[in-house]
Amino acid sequence: MSRPFYSEYVRHCMRFYSRNLSLTRFKTSVDEENWKACHEVVKQLPDKTKDILVMVYGGRDTLSDEVYNASRLYSMNQNIIWDTMKVFEKAVAVRRGLI
């Protein structure tokens, strides 16, 4: 099954957000808008879900490996994390105006 067209862009945005959680100054307005889109969606999530997403997207390994690591750490099925990521990525894409 193919990923939605916005998935790679949102993943890029979320990697930036996850690695710069307390950023207040941005190099470009695009960086700022991407960060804000992620922040607006993330702040509506339960703390555990936030922690999982920040861990997965902010990690330095592949997404698959990060999902595996998060699933072991939080004792949950990997498919639940992948499904959460799909819903999250769509919400960020909507917030960012991609869809």
Side-chain angles (χ1 to χ4, degrees):
M1 183 178 197
S2 65
R3 288 189 300 255
F5 69 92
Y6 54 80
S7 188
E8 285 302 316
Y9 186 81
V10 171
R11 289 177 181 183
H12 167 78
C13 297
M14 191 56 187
R15 278 191 301 273
F16 178 75
Y17 174 79
S18 296
R19 294 174 184 171
N20 300 283
L21 292 174
S22 59
L23 200 61
T24 57
R25 298 188 68 163
F26 302 90
K27 291 183 182 179
T28 67
S29 61
V30 172
D31 284 346
E32 183 175 5
E33 289 300 316
N34 292 341
W35 190 94
K36 285 180 178 180
C38 291
H39 183 70
E40 289 297 317
V41 176
V42 164
K43 74 179 186 181
Q44 298 173 15
L45 301 172
D47 288 339
K48 183 178 178 181
T49 304
K50 288 179 201 178
D51 294 343
I52 291 169
L53 290 175
V54 167
M55 177 184 174
V56 168
Y57 288 106
R60 301 292 179 179
D61 215 337
T62 64
L63 273 182
S64 296
D65 287 340
E66 294 297 341
V67 168
Y68 173 78
N69 293 335
S71 73
R72 293 198 30 119
L73 181 66
Y74 289 94
S75 300
M76 60 191 313
N77 188 299
Q78 292 181 50
N79 291 330
I80 293 171
I81 297 173
W82 285 112
D83 291 344
T84 301
M85 290 169 61
K86 287 177 194 172
V87 172
F88 172 77
E89 289 172 6
K90 184 173 183 178
V92 172
V94 168
R95 171 65 176 80
R96 187 62 179 92
L98 302 175
I99 51 176

